[in-house]
Amino acid sequence: MDPIKYFTFSMIISISGIWGILLNRRNIPIMSMPIESMLLAVNSNFLVFSVSSDDMMGQSFASLVPTVAAAESAIGLAIFVITFRVRGTIAVESINSIQG
């Protein structure tokens, strides 16, 4: 197994996730999709390290990543709903004015 190919693929996914966050700063749900792709890149890195080193720890961490992604999505959706109810929009420009 050549892990360099898989690491390159993971790096491309991670860089496209960072690029997506930097380019899409208008709408919060669209900003959360590149974060999910970066979690996918981390998950694939865990799996490649696990297979290349014959260790099960990477696979066990890879099973926890979807749990973190689901929790992030649930909390983000709750924030979206509350922000939409209070402000009437989920545009990032109006959220910048929130001061706590």
Side-chain angles (χ1 to χ4, degrees), residues 59-77:
Q59 293 178 9
S60 62
F61 279 125
S63 67
L64 294 175
V65 169
T67 308
V68 172
E72 171 200 357
S73 298
I75 292 171
L77 185 61

Side-chain angles (χ1 to χ4, degrees), residues 3 5 10-11 17 24-25 45-46 52 61 83 87-88 90 93:
K5 295 176 187 176
S10 177
M11 181 183 65
N24 298 322
R25 290 191 177 185
N45 272 338
F46 279 144
S52 66
F61 279 125
T83 304
R87 299 272 181 192
I90 53 174
E93 292 85 18

Side-chain angles (χ1 to χ4, degrees), residues 14-46:
S14 181
I15 289 173
S16 68
I18 293 170
W19 185 59
I21 289 174
L22 292 176
L23 288 181
N24 298 322
R25 290 191 177 185
R26 290 187 185 163
N27 205 350
I28 295 175
I30 294 176
M31 283 177 62
S32 67
M33 285 188 278
I35 294 172
E36 298 295 328
S37 69
M38 291 184 342
L39 282 173
L40 174 71
V42 169
N43 201 7
S44 65
N45 272 338
F46 279 144

Side-chain angles (χ1 to χ4, degrees), residues 44-56:
S44 65
N45 272 338
F46 279 144
L47 291 174
V48 169
F49 276 122
S50 174
V51 169
S52 66
S53 65
D54 290 332
D55 191 16
M56 291 295 289

